[in-house]
Amino acid sequence: MTRVRRRIVATPAAWAVWGTVTLFFVGVAGVIGSVLVNSFATRWFDTWLPQGYTTEWYGQAWEEFTLLPVLGVTLVVCLLVAGVSVLVGVPAAYVLARRSFYGRRAVYLMFLLPILMPPIAYGIPLATVLYKYGFAGHLSGVVLANLVPSIPFVILTMTPFIEQIDPAVERAARMCGARTRQVFVRILAPLLVPGILAASILVVVRTVGMFELTFLTAGPDSQTLVVALFYSMSASGIRAQQSVDAMAVIYTAMMLVLLVVALRFVNPTQLVARVKEDPE
Amino acid sequence: MTPVAFRHRLAERGIDAQLLLLGPAAVFVAALFVYPFCYGIAVSLQPVEGGPFAAYQAFFRDAYQRDTIATTLRIALPAALLNVLASVPIAYRMRGRFRGKRVLTTVLVVPITLGTVLTAEGLLNFLGPTGWFNRVLLALGVVDAPVTLTHNYWGVFLSLVITGFPFAFLLVSSYLSGIDPSLEKAGAVLGAGWAQRFFRITLPLLAPGLATTFCLTFVLAFSVFPSAILVGDPSGTTRVISIAAYEAAYVRYDYAGGAAAAIIMGLVELVVIGVVLGLRSLLYTGSTAGGKG
């Protein structure tokens, strides 16, 4: 059997496209690479590469920035936000996916707005309200603030998953005498496990990266990693640049681990957004 | 009317006990989004001195505050436009299956998850006066002195491109994958060249998706805050409106001013999105699948 070898021809358009993509990746690699190299550097001023390498910045960053509690706070906040938003969001997504009722569009718009609004624009009034009731400055305030974009996000992500499930399955369960709660726990939940996993991982990724809301509501002992990183960066000059970079590398590593986990369950395009084209 | 009959009449309109499942989510969003927003409006209308609109008047009278709107739009609109326009030809080329596509999309997701804070840190190192980028340019002899790309407009712009372009690309390519390729094949059979096929078949079908992508990318770019402070020039060329709102509320403790700035920010963004979505409603939106119509 003979294999026909296709000739690889690159048109100018292909060159331009691949060139742009390559340039972009070189830029991204440079951005991440320079942080990574600098975090291991002893001294790096006016040369291509640092004069020597060391790992002491990591130990220093760990102690100076008290990273262990910060990581703990980040973890607790993420788990709480993901748990609550799934518990609250999935039933709402079910109603929006299956039912049509008077005022459905208005409800849909109410859930869409927190995603479309810039976080600072609603974060400032929200932080004022949370301070008024004594939530802000603690872990509870950070969790509450992060729930605002997370619940609508879970609803918008889960609606297509629920629409895929054949309603006949539910009707059969109801014929056999199952109540709504039983339909949820014994029929829908097992079928929705992949979707729920995907949604909660996406919420965790977004919460780890969410800067503005956490920044506005966090107190000194409820900072997440990204806020701690911002404070150490904006106070540059006090800390060694390498120490800040070591912290940035820890943050990146955490994000990459989450990303690898996330990509086992979700399609990359889903990571971006899953806003449905038309609510009707 | 008996209660049972009333319930039946409601059920005919689709309202029954099952809607209570919406309750918790609606309560959360109402308490944490709608109520704070109304509270913010109320606060902004009760400044320490002056009439109800004094905070808004102060915002628009002070050029240092007023210009933040233009500054924000000058950063966000070109960045969002560039991200969307650049991702169209690239996504168009990368339709279909080829080896390494999954790896490519995976790598593209990385900058999105890095977030603006880390991107800013990396840009400061990479594009700084002694960073690798300037070293390469100097070594190649392209420039004589290091190019200043940090602590000004370009630093913020580039950080928005790094986080926004992959986002736009993934969205555009998911919209493109929903367009049936047989439509283009039909065009080709009837003798259309690639330009005609692209501009008269694919682009019109893609345009609504592009409008949505633009809106979402614009939201990301419009709320630029950490990178405008870290890699930009937060008291000059990149003093965006979120910085103005933050300073008013947390540096000057002028809550009415801060709330007013935040609400102006939300309104400006909604106006831009409204214009884009309004234009979008003029376009064809419907099935992008082929087959007998």
Side-chain angles (χ1 to χ4, degrees):
Chain A
M1 207 167 87
T2 55
R3 284 183 63 204
V4 182
R5 283 186 71 100
R6 267 201 320 177
R7 214 154 55 91
I8 298 172
V9 187
T11 58
W15 277 107
V17 165
W18 287 109
T20 317
V21 173
T22 315
L23 259 182
F24 180 79
F25 280 131
V26 167
V28 171
V31 164
I32 299 175
S34 55
V35 173
L36 189 66
V37 171
N38 197 23
S39 73
F40 286 106
T42 48
R43 286 158 58 82
W44 188 15
F45 290 118
D46 206 12
T47 45
W48 282 95
L49 285 171
Q51 291 170 355
Y53 296 93
T54 170
T55 53
E56 68 178 273
W57 298 114
Y58 284 87
Q60 198 180 328
W62 188 266
E63 280 168 20
E64 232 179 273
F65 301 122
T66 56
L67 273 187
L68 195 60
V70 170
L71 283 176
V73 166
T74 312
L75 195 71
V76 171
V77 166
C78 287
L79 291 182
L80 278 176
V81 169
V84 174
S85 49
V86 164
L87 277 182
V88 170
V90 172
Y94 173 79
V95 175
L96 284 177
R98 282 287 149 84
R99 305 289 306 272
S100 71
F101 53 91
Y102 188 74
R104 188 174 176 280
R105 290 189 78 107
V107 173
Y108 201 87
L109 185 71
M110 190 176 89
F111 288 134
L112 201 63
L113 267 182
I115 290 189
L116 282 183
M117 273 285 188
I120 286 271
Y122 63 83
I124 287 178
L126 175 66
T128 319
V129 168
L130 288 177
Y131 272 111
K132 191 175 139 199
Y133 293 106
F135 286 114
H138 308 288
L139 203 72
S140 55
V142 176
V143 172
L144 283 176
N146 275 298
L147 281 176
V148 176
S150 300
I151 291 176
F153 183 78
V154 168
I155 294 177
L156 294 180
T157 324
M158 289 305 293
T159 311
F161 273 105
I162 294 173
E163 278 169 350
Q164 283 163 13
I165 294 177
D166 190 353
V169 183
E170 284 166 51
R171 269 186 243 131
R174 281 190 195 279
M175 288 292 283
C176 298
R179 323 261 322 163
T180 303
R181 176 211 287 273
Q182 282 171 312
V183 169
F184 254 89
V185 176
R186 300 179 65 172
I187 310 287
L188 286 175
L191 287 171
L192 282 178
V193 164
I196 289 176
L197 261 181
S200 42
I201 290 170
L202 295 182
V203 167
V204 168
V205 170
R206 286 168 65 103
T207 310
V208 174
M210 171 50 82
F211 171 76
E212 287 92 344
L213 293 175
T214 316
F215 175 67
L216 290 174
T217 51
D221 54 355
S222 53
Q223 289 175 9
T224 60
L225 194 51
V226 68
V227 176
L229 182 61
F230 175 83
Y231 277 122
S232 64
M233 274 180 72
S234 54
S236 62
I238 303 169
R239 316 226 186 262
Q241 187 68 34
Q242 290 94 323
S243 177
V244 175
D245 281 349
M247 189 166 166
V249 169
I250 295 174
Y251 171 76
T252 317
M254 187 172 164
M255 276 310 231
L256 286 183
V257 168
L258 270 178
L259 188 67
V260 169
V261 174
L263 288 176
R264 287 193 64 83
F265 295 101
V266 290
N267 177 357
T269 46
Q270 242 181 329
L271 215 56
V272 170
R274 190 136 185 193
V275 179
K276 245 185 70 185
E277 270 292 77
D278 200 7
E280 288 309 311
Chain B
M1 204 188 315
T2 62
V4 174
F6 184 61
R7 233 174 15 210
H8 277 261
R9 303 233 348 211
L10 280 180
E12 272 173 13
R13 292 186 163 73
I15 296 174
D16 59 25
Q18 218 182 29
L19 290 192
L20 288 178
L21 289 173
L22 266 180
V27 167
F28 263 102
V29 173
L32 293 172
F33 181 77
V34 179
Y35 168 65
F37 222 91
C38 299
Y39 182 81
I41 293 175
V43 166
S44 73
L45 294 178
Q46 292 164 358
V48 183
E49 50 195 45
F53 295 104
Y56 292 92
Q57 281 164 354
F59 184 92
F60 284 107
R61 206 179 299 128
D62 185 358
Y64 193 53
Q65 308 289 342
R66 188 180 58 221
D67 291 348
T68 56
I69 297 179
T71 308
T72 316
L73 290 177
R74 209 157 40 227
I75 295 173
L77 281 177
L81 260 183
L82 175 77
N83 287 337
V84 173
L85 292 184
S87 52
V88 172
I90 295 174
Y92 189 69
R93 264 235 90 83
M94 293 185 184
R95 277 179 319 165
R97 290 142 60 94
F98 58 88
R99 191 182 294 174
K101 184 168 182 177
R102 191 165 169 87
V103 176
L104 189 87
T105 41
T106 309
V107 176
L108 266 175
V109 178
V110 172
I112 302 178
T113 54
L114 289 182
T116 39
V117 177
L118 188 101
T119 314
E121 172 74 10
L123 282 174
L124 285 178
N125 286 344
F126 179 60
L127 298 177
T130 60
W132 283 337
F133 183 75
N134 271 316
R135 295 196 152 271
V136 170
L137 288 190
L138 287 172
L140 292 176
V142 182
V143 290
D144 296 327
V147 192
T148 318
L149 288 171
T150 53
H151 298 298
N152 61 8
Y153 176 87
W154 292 108
V156 182
F157 187 82
L158 286 173
S159 89
L160 288 177
V161 169
I162 285 186
T163 41
F165 169 71
F167 181 88
F169 172 80
L170 290 176
L171 269 179
V172 169
S173 56
S174 75
Y175 281 118
L176 260 180
S177 64
I179 297 176
D180 191 342
S182 60
L183 293 173
E184 268 202 56
K185 280 187 200 136
V189 167
L190 295 172
W194 76 265
Q196 274 179 309
R197 290 203 303 269
F198 178 75
F199 286 106
R200 302 187 64 169
I201 297 173
T202 311
L203 195 59
L205 289 175
L206 185 63
L210 287 185
T212 312
T213 312
F214 177 83
C215 286
L216 292 173
T217 322
F218 176 74
V219 170
L220 275 188
F222 192 76
S223 56
V224 52
F225 180 66
S227 59
I229 292 178
L230 296 172
V231 79
D233 169 21
S235 54
T237 48
T238 69
R239 196 183 131 85
V240 292
I241 191 164
S242 46
I243 296 181
Y246 174 77
E247 273 184 5
Y250 291 92
V251 180
R252 283 186 274 122
Y253 295 107
D254 170 14
Y255 290 114
I263 283 156
I264 292 170
M265 177 179 178
L267 284 181
V268 171
E269 193 211 61
L270 286 185
V271 165
V272 173
I273 289 183
V275 168
V276 174
L277 290 185
L279 290 176
R280 178 181 178 275
S281 67
L282 301 177
L283 303 168
Y284 166 80
T285 51
S287 167
T288 50
K292 290 171 189 149

